Amino acid sequence: MRKLYSGNEAVARGAFEAGVEIAAAYPGTPSTEIMENIAHYKEIYAEWSVNEKVAFEVAFGGAVGGKRALAAMKHVGVNVAADALMTAAYTGINAGFVLVSADDPGMFSSQNEQDNRFFAKMAQIPMLEPSNSQEAKDFTILAFEISEKYDTPVLLRMTTRVCHGKSIVECRDRIPGPACRYQKNPQKYVMIPANARKRHVVVEERRKRLSEFAENFSGNITEYNDTSIGIITSGVSYQYAREVFPGSSFLKLGVSYPLPMNKIKTFAEKVKKLYVFEELEPFLEERLSAAGINLTGKNVLPVLGEFSPELLREKLQGQVTENSECDVKLPARPPVMCAGCPHRAVFHVLRKLRAVVSGDIGCYTLSTLPPLNTMDTVLCMGASMGIAQGLVRVLDERNRDRVVSVLGDSTFIHSGIPGLVNAVYNRANITVIILDNRITAMTGHQDNPGTGRTLKGEKVPDFDFAGMARAAGVEFVQTVDPVDINETENIISQALKHQGPSVVIAKRPCVLVDRNQFPGQMKIDWDTCKVCKICLRIGCPAISINDSKITIDQTMCFGCGLCQQICPHGSIIPLKSMKTGSENDK
Amino acid sequence: MINKEKADILIVGVGGQGILLASEIISSVCLEAGYDVKQSEVHGMAQRGGSVSSHVRYGDVVYSPTIERGRADILLSFELLEALRWIEFLKPEGTAIVNNMKITPMPVADGSERYPDNIRQKLEKRCKELVLVDGNSIAVKAGHIKTVNIALLGVFSKYLPFDTNMWKKSIVERVPVKTKEINLIAFDSGRNAN
């Protein structure tokens, strides 16, 4: 059966065919669709865990318990799971265990473009890098075999173009994983120093055996054509290289840690000029250069951003695609918070109160863009909490009473909770605003403990944010409907005045999940509109100015009424008194 | 009509216009016709009104998942400004099929920048064939503005050597059951337009 699958769908298919029985993830672009697709297979227990560390541990527990297991996350998620990963490399596994890391060269939807190949080296575990969907599926299955043969977690490293690029995959049937009986084995799985020292010896011995494995691995493919140029590459860079250098010789690395150094040396000797193509850091290049191999790589190719065939043509063949002369600079089209987004009102209020905003990761990060311009810092998941507590300790009097930490419902559960407990324990005078839109929105609307539904659709009790805050010892805990601006401003002002940590929960569903939550759309009353442009300052994509006239686009307006509340002239009124929507549409 | 046994197709527009569904239908038809196919796009920000692009390449063997500037055979744009933004990906002898509508980006909405004028003339200067389509009216006539992606697909389908029934089969498999009829009407109207 031939299917057109994205790399993520192919990993899910690979997990199914490999007989995986347990899988866990926290959503994060570009990895999210792996677990969404695994969840469709009824044979596999799959869950959204609350963060990547827990996801890793759940899957690892399943592997130790004797069933093939997979954890998936975006590259920065591996940072969160790294504590578990580094020691899981010591214990090894029972049934096969695969960690999928989805890296994001070019930062399409990430805060950095770290190169997670270094995790394989640091943990001393094998790493496979597929270059298309068929390989994503095949390598997933091979990764389980390698994991069991060498008693090690295996890292499957994907990148955005492999995750989201679709290509043809040949599907097969599911084969149950090997029977691995669970046996208590504290010397292997209880990492007290006495046991860990012995396991480190095992890791070293395993590394040597893995080097031999890499020399013979079927996924490292040498192809000799014209030998005047030889190219060593892996992942999607291989596809770009084949496009630009169709007649050259290739050593395509399927396993890029550990490296098949003998195979590489042989290849390097047979070709006249050696290129190494790898996105991001010189991971392969450093090892090859250390072995005395002469090559062209990062001396001409960038460490920044993603590659493309065009880039290779330009840097290696001197072919420059000319920019077609543009007579005008085109307006950018940045992503924006949606019309009707319940987060918008909170940021309008925070701007008005001149708050110092320690921000976090989610749709609401977009409030950093014009015209809202609210965020002071955004670092990583959950960081709004700790950073706010550092800021209040050092800022001057003018600013330290208005430090606010803003984060979403899922981000709060992911890694905000320890920060809140820390604020109570250390009496940090911060205000925490939890934007509870009842969903993990940014990654495409995944369930989380706050939604009361699991990945498999099971109903569970809703997470109680206010109860959590009170249990942590927060005295000021208030829930507010952010669509009521006056009340939101009132409650946030009170929270800022409160001495000690305070929590405000701005609760209102994401408008894309519940599109009919508002009474009706808005329009401009042009007879009274003074074109003061105050409504433009909230950054609603439905409101625009055309030929000195403000208009509300009826195909976009959900009727949240935020603009109506801030218009000083009463010129924004409900549309419903009118018969049709066309009158306001220019 | 493209006679070649391969083509590079770039589909662009604004997040929320149904671009990813349109490119999925194109890819599936190429697959059904027996070709190697690659489709590449970036998720994550698509729903937030940002600029969206999807690359579809078919042929006997396809390597790179993305199309290079100046090498696309067809540019299918769901919006005027986005057509201008991506026109440099089209080869000089290529065809641009462009939905004749404007969606105001935030820097224009808040008055800090201007939406460019005379986009039609600018596009005409840069491609051999420009097909301007009033996709929104076709969609509204078919039954719903949301079928605009399928209406444009109807126009586009005339430029690839694949049978109408293959397109229709793929559409029916991918749109919500309730909207099957109006999507097929939108496709036919697009295919028979001009």
Side-chain angles (χ1 to χ4, degrees):
Chain A
M1 186 175 48
R2 272 156 45 99
K3 293 271 193 185
L4 195 63
Y5 274 157
S6 69
N8 285 345
E9 289 172 291
V11 169
R13 181 73 201 185
F16 168 75
E17 291 180 15
V20 166
E21 297 210 18
I22 175 167
Y26 183 79
T29 312
S31 72
T32 312
E33 300 83 0
I34 296 171
M35 205 52 55
E36 285 182 329
N37 282 286
I38 286 181
H40 295 152
Y41 297 109
K42 62 179 193 316
E43 294 86 346
I44 306 177
Y45 168 79
E47 70 169 43
W48 290 130
S49 306
V50 298
N51 67 32
E52 293 87 352
K53 181 173 185 287
V54 175
F56 182 103
E57 290 155 352
V58 167
F60 177 74
V64 170
K67 301 294 181 191
R68 283 188 168 182
L70 179 142
M73 53 201 65
K74 70 181 290 172
H75 60 327
V76 287
V78 181
N79 300 339
V80 179
D83 204 358
L85 168 64
M86 289 304 146
T87 306
Y90 277 33
T91 65
I93 48 84
N94 180 15
F97 175 61
V98 174
L99 169 64
V100 187
S101 166
D103 291 16
D104 191 14
M107 292 177 274
F108 291 97
S109 194
S110 302
Q111 66 269 38
N112 75 26
E113 56 180 344
Q114 68 185 45
D115 189 332
N116 273 10
R117 293 179 297 172
F118 289 101
F119 271 113
K121 192 177 176 188
M122 182 152 60
Q124 303 283 334
I125 58 171
M127 167 171 57
L128 305 183
E129 284 194 89
S131 75
N132 61 23
S133 299
Q134 181 69 52
E135 285 182 358
K137 196 202 82 166
D138 293 346
F139 285 10
T140 301
I141 298 167
L142 282 168
F144 283 100
E145 292 167 11
I146 297 162
S147 174
E148 281 152 5
K149 184 163 180 199
Y150 295 91
D151 188 10
T152 176
V154 175
L155 182 65
L156 184 76
R157 191 249 188 179
M158 313 266 285
T159 56
T160 301
R161 290 291 176 191
V162 179
C163 291
H164 288 165
K166 291 189 176 181
S167 55
I168 297 170
V169 174
E170 189 67 52
C171 295
R172 299 193 194 289
D173 292 334
R174 178 175 167 94
I175 298 171
C180 304
R181 211 159 62 84
Y182 175 65
Q183 271 183 316
K184 185 165 173 164
N185 186 353
Q187 286 75 29
K188 189 166 185 290
Y189 295 114
V190 179
M191 283 302 95
I192 54 172
N195 291 341
R197 283 184 204 111
K198 288 177 192 140
R199 290 302 304 178
H200 196 184
V201 176
V202 176
V203 171
E204 268 307 287
E205 182 270 333
R206 182 180 72 200
R207 189 174 59 81
K208 286 176 194 140
R209 287 195 296 134
L210 282 167
S211 295
E212 285 163 35
F213 147 78
E215 294 291 348
N216 302 309
F217 178 55
S218 59
N220 294 329
I221 300 162
T222 316
E223 194 186 322
Y224 288 108
N225 298 308
D226 175 5
T227 53
S228 59
I229 291 176
I231 298 164
I232 298 179
T233 185
S234 65
V236 75
S237 300
Y238 168 75
Q239 304 291 349
Y240 301 145
R242 282 300 300 254
E243 190 81 27
V244 179
F245 298 91
S248 298
S249 297
F250 285 88
L251 171 51
K252 178 189 177 298
L253 297 171
V255 64
S256 43
Y257 190 83
L259 287 174
M261 287 309 291
N262 293 332
K263 204 169 204 167
I264 288 169
K265 282 176 188 160
T266 309
F267 182 78
E269 279 161 18
K270 285 193 182 161
V271 299
K272 214 158 154 194
K273 188 165 179 60
L274 182 68
Y275 290 152
V276 174
F277 294 161
E278 53 186 329
E279 291 179 321
L280 304 177
E281 303 300 323
F283 180 82
L284 304 173
E285 180 173 329
E286 279 177 0
R287 186 71 212 288
L288 268 57
S289 296
I293 297 169
N294 213 347
L295 59 89
T296 298
K298 294 295 175 185
N299 53 333
V300 294
L301 291 165
V303 293
L304 313 177
E306 63 166 355
F307 280 8
S308 64
E310 201 178 318
L311 179 94
L312 299 181
R313 277 187 222 285
E314 184 190 324
K315 301 290 180 191
L316 296 153
Q317 299 178 332
Q319 285 183 37
V320 181
T321 310
E322 292 196 5
N323 279 317
S324 56
E325 72 308 335
C326 246
D327 347 27
V328 275
K329 192 184 148 284
L330 298 181
R333 193 185 297 275
V336 292
M337 289 201 289
C338 306
C341 175
H343 300 331
R344 180 172 283 108
V346 170
F347 292 104
H348 169 74
V349 168
L350 291 177
R351 181 175 56 186
K352 190 171 168 193
L353 297 174
R354 297 174 177 278
V356 175
V357 181
S358 176
D360 224 300
I361 303 217
C363 292
Y364 45 90
T365 315
L366 293 169
S367 77
T368 196
L369 300 175
L372 284 165
N373 301 313
T374 46
M375 300 249 164
D376 287 53
T377 61
V378 173
L379 193 65
C380 63
M381 291 287 286
S384 61
M385 288 282 189
I387 292 173
Q389 293 170 50
L391 286 168
V392 288
R393 303 284 173 199
V394 301
L395 290 184
D396 61 20
E397 227 167 288
R398 199 168 50 90
N399 284 313
R400 72 173 164 238
D401 288 336
R402 47 186 184 217
V403 174
V404 173
S405 156
V406 183
L407 75 179
D409 45 353
S410 190
T411 306
F412 176 75
I413 295 167
H414 177 282
S415 48
I417 293 170
L420 183 64
V421 176
N422 191 67
V424 174
Y425 173 50
N426 291 301
R427 305 305 297 160
N429 189 25
I430 61 165
T431 293
V432 174
I433 301 176
I434 301 170
L435 302 170
D436 180 12
N437 65 346
R438 322 297 301 145
I439 202 78
T440 309
M442 188 57 155
T443 42
H445 300 104
Q446 289 75 33
D447 281 299
N448 67 49
T451 69
R453 253 170 61 104
T454 68
L455 172 61
K456 288 280 193 177
E458 193 187 344
K459 291 277 275 177
V460 291
D462 288 12
F463 181 84
D464 178 358
F465 291 92
M468 172 76 226
R470 286 193 198 97
V474 180
E475 287 158 7
F476 185 108
V477 181
Q478 293 272 351
T479 300
V480 67
D481 180 354
V483 161
D484 183 341
I485 301 186
N486 289 338
E487 185 62 4
T488 302
E489 183 175 343
N490 179 22
I491 297 285
I492 293 176
S493 301
Q494 283 178 39
L496 287 171
K497 286 196 191 89
H498 177 81
Q499 285 304 305
S502 51
V503 170
V504 176
I505 300 155
K507 186 172 176 178
R508 171 64 80 163
C510 170
V511 72
L512 297 184
V513 170
D514 181 0
R515 290 169 183 265
N516 300 314
Q517 58 183 292
F518 301 114
Q521 295 181 311
M522 295 292 154
K523 64 164 180 168
I524 307 287
D525 175 7
W526 285 326
D527 295 337
T528 59
C529 175
K530 309 255 189 305
V531 199
C532 68
K533 301 185 188 172
I534 283 176
C535 57
L536 294 178
R537 297 189 60 222
I538 56 173
C540 175
I543 310 175
S544 60
I545 181 162
N546 301 303
D547 304 326
S548 306
K549 246 182 178 176
I550 308 283
T551 53
I552 295 178
D553 183 341
Q554 298 310 329
T555 64
M556 294 173 90
C557 176
F558 285 100
C560 73
L562 176 60
C563 53
Q564 184 186 29
Q565 293 177 68
I566 62 162
C567 175
H569 307 294
S571 306
I572 298 181
I573 53 177
L575 176 73
K576 63 181 169 214
S577 56
M578 296 172 64
K579 285 199 181 91
T580 66
S582 58
E583 202 171 314
N584 201 11
D585 227 8
K586 273 179 247 164
Chain B
M1 171 86 72
I2 287 181
N3 296 315
K4 283 187 290 186
E5 293 290 293
K6 59 173 190 165
D8 289 354
I9 303 146
L10 187 65
I11 306 117
V12 304
V14 178
Q17 285 191 295
I19 292 151
L20 302 190
L21 176 65
S23 60
E24 197 181 309
I25 292 168
I26 298 170
S27 303
S28 71
V29 170
C30 299
L31 176 73
E32 187 75 21
Y35 288 105
D36 189 16
V37 189
K38 279 192 179 165
Q39 180 189 337
S40 186
E41 63 233 359
V42 173
H43 306 190
M45 295 287 189
Q47 220 163 9
R48 308 294 176 275
S51 171
V52 172
S53 64
S54 178
H55 305 235
V56 176
R57 309 186 70 208
Y58 78 85
D60 287 339
V61 186
V62 179
Y63 290 109
S64 171
T66 52
I67 301 166
E68 299 171 60
R69 278 188 300 162
R71 289 174 189 247
D73 297 283
I74 305 182
L75 173 70
L76 173 60
S77 178
F78 285 36
E79 200 267 351
L80 283 163
L81 169 60
E82 294 311 309
L84 196 54
R85 194 188 308 285
W86 293 94
I87 192 73
E88 61 179 348
F89 276 74
L90 193 65
K91 53 172 72 157
E93 64 273 29
T95 300
I97 301 167
V98 179
N99 189 21
N100 193 5
M101 78 153 322
K102 295 179 183 179
I103 297 176
T104 312
M106 188 50 68
V108 173
D110 71 10
S112 55
E113 288 184 55
R114 274 177 53 81
Y115 197 97
D117 301 319
N118 307 324
I119 289 184
R120 180 192 188 128
Q121 287 81 346
K122 285 174 182 138
L123 290 173
E124 272 170 350
K125 261 197 260 173
R126 287 176 195 148
C127 60
K128 193 173 153 231
E129 186 184 13
L130 172 67
V131 184
L132 269 188
V133 185
D134 201 349
N136 289 33
S137 334
I138 299 176
V140 169
K141 267 187 219 147
H144 201 284
I145 179 74
K146 285 264 172 200
T147 61
V148 65
N149 56 345
I150 305 298
L152 289 165
L153 201 62
V155 179
F156 167 85
S157 68
K158 289 186 291 185
Y159 291 81
L160 291 188
F162 306 129
D163 188 70
T164 314
N165 291 328
M166 289 169 70
W167 291 102
K168 289 188 173 174
K169 180 168 168 271
S170 179
I171 291 166
V172 168
E173 282 169 7
R174 281 169 181 80
V175 300
V177 181
K178 289 193 296 195
T179 68
K180 202 175 80 177
E181 288 306 316
I182 57 170
N183 273 302
L184 288 177
I185 296 169
F187 178 81
D188 277 331
S189 315
R191 197 166 166 100
N192 300 324
N194 302 345

